[in-house]
């Protein structure tokens, strides 16, 4: 591809080409498994420490120079960040970046979609844990499923393919809707990914017995549908995808708990406060915000990226718990 600089390989031979950026730790929803009801607890520190959009764009430029060519904007809720369209435009103008996506709860997407697409946004993943209005309100504490559905249809109308849905499967809450989601993928060109409920963040709602493993979910789907394995749908994730015979979309399974996918991990993560993490589960971070404030040169920033990548562990440590050293929540790291 024109403009791509080099291939970055980590200590374990993995090709690191994808960066997820949490553009804000704020959110317009309060999903029970992700954020406390009162929202961010900022204490006396205020909220002045997040990266500016200019700093963000500069860091993407540096990352592109070491082999990152796919970017996902996440949060918190990325669409509550002011001037996000400008940031997308700035990232799209970096020659080496060939894939820009967001993960969103969909509340604000529909009215913004055309502007986001014109700025350079190519793809979108929606988080949808239930298709029932009252249950949606319950799990998000304040979400409006009508807005989410309008956003889904808008993404299809604008042909932002592949349009993906993330469903965190929670026993006793939405496991009875698995087949409804499969039918959605059958009837529409949508790619539904069933995600194992992980013990991350505040652990407000997580319980071992609420987590279903992908094997159980897949077995349920196979009682009604023949699943045909497909090569990865365009994107960056660790899902294993299957076509549904006769259907339009696909279903995928993301198994962070039951099946280590770390051997194929290609990502690094930039938090809203400008800390670079090489693994969701590893609390070690490289502080890029302070470096930027200290007028670090491009070459110094590049070295900081390289040292973060050198810290990338061979496997995550999710089974030993989120841990006291891991102070950040999912909405701060960007799930
Ligand atoms: N606000 C955006 C959204 O909800 O799509 C982006 C940020 S959210 C933290 C990103 C993803 O992380 C969502 O799909 C959410 O369901 C997922 N997530 C959050 N906590 C999780 C958990 N404990 N287990 C599995 N997925 C989780
Ligand atoms: Fe917000 Fe996304 Fe977390 Fe829900 S999962 S509270 S929408 S950041």
């Amino acid at each position: 591809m024109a403009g791509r600089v080099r291939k970055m390989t980590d200590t374990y031979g993995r090709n690191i080409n994808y960066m997820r950026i949490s553009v804000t730790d704020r959110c317009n929803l309060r999903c029970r498994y992700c954020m406390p009801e009162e929202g961010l607890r900022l204490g006396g520190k205020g909220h002045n420490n997040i990266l500016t959009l200019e700093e963000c764009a500069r860091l993407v430029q540096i990352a592109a120079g070491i082999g990152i060519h796919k970017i996902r904007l996440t949060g918190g809720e990325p669409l509550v960040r002011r001037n996000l369209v400008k940031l997308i435009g700035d990232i799209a103008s970096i020659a080496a970046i060939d894939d820009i996506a967001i993960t969103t709860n969909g509340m604000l997407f529909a009215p913004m979609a055309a502007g986001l697409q014109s700025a350079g946004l190519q793809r979108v993943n929606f988080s949808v844990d239930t298709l029932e209005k009252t249950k949606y309100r319950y799990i998000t504490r304040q979400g409006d499923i009508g807005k989410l559905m309008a956003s889904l249809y808008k993404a299809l109308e604008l042909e932002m393919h592949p349009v993906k849905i993330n469903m965190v499967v929670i026993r006793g809450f939405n496991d009875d809707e698995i087949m409804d989601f499969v039918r959605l993928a059958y009837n529409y060109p949508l790619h539904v990914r069933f995600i194992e409920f992980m013990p991350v963040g505040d652990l407000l709602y997580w319980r071992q017995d609420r987590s279903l493993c992908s094997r159980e979910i897949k077995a349920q789907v196979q009682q009604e549908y023949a699943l045909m394995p497909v090569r990865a749908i365009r994107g960056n994730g660790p899902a294993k995808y299957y076509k549904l015979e006769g259907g339009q979309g696909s279903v995928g399974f993301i198994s962070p708990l039951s099946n280590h996918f770390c051997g194929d991990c290609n990502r690094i993560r930039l938090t809203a406060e400008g800390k670079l993490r090489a693994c969701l589960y590893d609390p070690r971070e490289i502080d890029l915000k302070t470096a930027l404030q200290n007028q670090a040169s491009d070459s110094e920033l590049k070295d900081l990226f390289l040292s973060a990548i050198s810290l990338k562990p061979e496997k995550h440590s999710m089974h030993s718990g989120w841990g006291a050293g891991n102070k950040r929540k999912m909405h701060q790291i960007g799930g």
Side-chain angles (χ1 to χ4, degrees):
M1 195 218 60
R4 188 167 310 164
V5 176
R6 55 185 281 191
K7 187 168 164 177
M8 165 60 56
T9 305
D10 77 355
T11 326
Y12 301 97
R14 295 171 294 199
N15 179 14
I16 308 300
N17 56 22
Y18 171 36
M19 181 158 75
R20 295 175 71 100
I21 306 175
S22 172
V23 289
T24 176
D25 45 13
R26 296 177 181 226
C27 187
N28 48 357
L29 298 185
R30 298 282 181 273
C31 299
R32 284 173 192 270
Y33 53 77
C34 181
M35 264 182 125
E37 190 161 15
E38 66 275 20
L40 296 177
R41 296 183 211 116
L42 295 171
K45 221 174 73 175
H47 202 244
N48 298 322
N49 268 341
I50 65 169
L51 288 174
T52 65
L53 296 181
E54 293 71 25
E55 287 171 335
C56 228
R58 180 165 174 221
L59 292 177
V60 175
Q61 179 87 58
I62 304 289
I66 60 156
I68 297 292
H69 59 95
K70 308 177 195 199
I71 297 290
R72 176 170 297 275
L73 304 175
T74 173
E77 171 50 39
L79 297 180
V80 303
R81 180 77 198 251
R82 282 178 65 191
N83 297 326
L84 190 79
V85 173
K86 159 96 172 66
L87 175 64
I88 290 174
D90 290 347
I91 294 174
S93 71
I94 300 170
I97 302 297
D98 58 12
D99 189 36
I100 309 177
I102 59 166
T103 299
T104 174
N105 60 35
M107 290 304 99
L108 301 172
F109 180 80
M112 295 176 73
L116 291 163
Q117 189 180 42
S118 316
L121 184 72
Q122 295 162 23
R123 299 184 299 109
V124 53
N125 288 13
F126 293 102
S127 301
V128 191
D129 297 329
T130 171
L131 300 171
E132 293 179 25
K133 191 175 171 187
T134 46
K135 282 169 75 177
Y136 186 74
R137 189 84 187 168
Y138 171 81
I139 199 73
T140 61
R141 292 202 182 97
Q142 40 192 275
D144 174 348
I145 197 154
K147 288 186 178 161
L148 171 58
M149 289 301 154
S151 292
L152 258 176
Y153 289 123
K154 180 55 96 177
L156 289 177
E157 185 189 315
L158 294 176
E159 301 189 356
M160 298 177 86
H161 299 302
V163 179
K164 296 181 185 170
I165 288 182
N166 291 346
M167 179 207 197
V168 178
V169 185
I170 304 171
R171 196 189 307 276
F173 171 67
N174 60 4
D175 52 331
D176 58 339
E177 290 186 66
I178 291 170
M179 295 315 296
D180 297 333
F181 278 78
V182 176
R183 279 185 278 278
L184 202 60
Y186 186 87
N187 292 323
Y188 294 90
L190 289 169
H191 304 277
V192 171
R193 294 122 51 89
F194 298 106
I195 304 177
E196 289 176 345
F197 188 18
M198 296 182 279
V200 296
D202 245 0
L203 305 187
L204 295 164
Y205 185 71
W206 192 84
R207 278 197 339 229
Q208 179 78 56
D209 62 345
R210 285 191 169 139
S211 190
L212 266 87
C213 75
S214 292
R215 211 174 340 99
E216 286 176 78
I217 305 167
K218 190 172 161 197
Q220 197 177 321
V221 178
Q222 283 175 311
Q223 285 178 9
E224 275 189 48
Y225 288 91
L227 295 182
M228 299 170 297
V230 278
R231 273 172 52 82
I233 306 291
R234 180 176 169 215
N236 318 300
K240 291 214 168 23
Y241 288 99
Y242 299 84
K243 291 291 280 181
L244 302 158
E245 205 170 350
Q248 294 202 55
S250 71
V251 294
F253 302 91
I254 303 186
S255 322
L257 282 171
S258 65
N259 175 15
H260 260 297
F261 46 44
C262 307
D264 297 323
C265 185
N266 59 348
R267 62 189 63 185
I268 52 176
R269 296 166 185 269
L270 182 59
T271 73
E273 289 175 323
K275 308 283 197 305
L276 198 58
R277 284 172 87 110
C279 171
L280 175 64
Y281 247 73
D282 189 334
R284 290 175 296 175
E285 295 177 338
I286 299 286
D287 183 356
L288 298 180
K289 175 80 182 175
T290 303
L292 286 162
Q293 285 169 336
N294 292 337
Q295 320 298 331
S297 66
D298 285 0
S299 129
E300 285 164 337
L301 290 170
K302 180 180 155 195
D303 287 345
L304 290 174
F305 268 92
L306 296 179
S307 45
I309 291 171
S310 75
L311 291 177
K312 194 168 171 64
E314 186 176 11
K315 287 181 175 179
H316 70 62
S317 52
M318 199 175 308
H319 293 286
S320 52
W322 189 237
N326 221 332
K327 295 198 179 64
R328 287 188 197 284
K329 313 286 185 278
M330 192 71 151
H331 65 90
Q332 294 173 307
I333 306 170

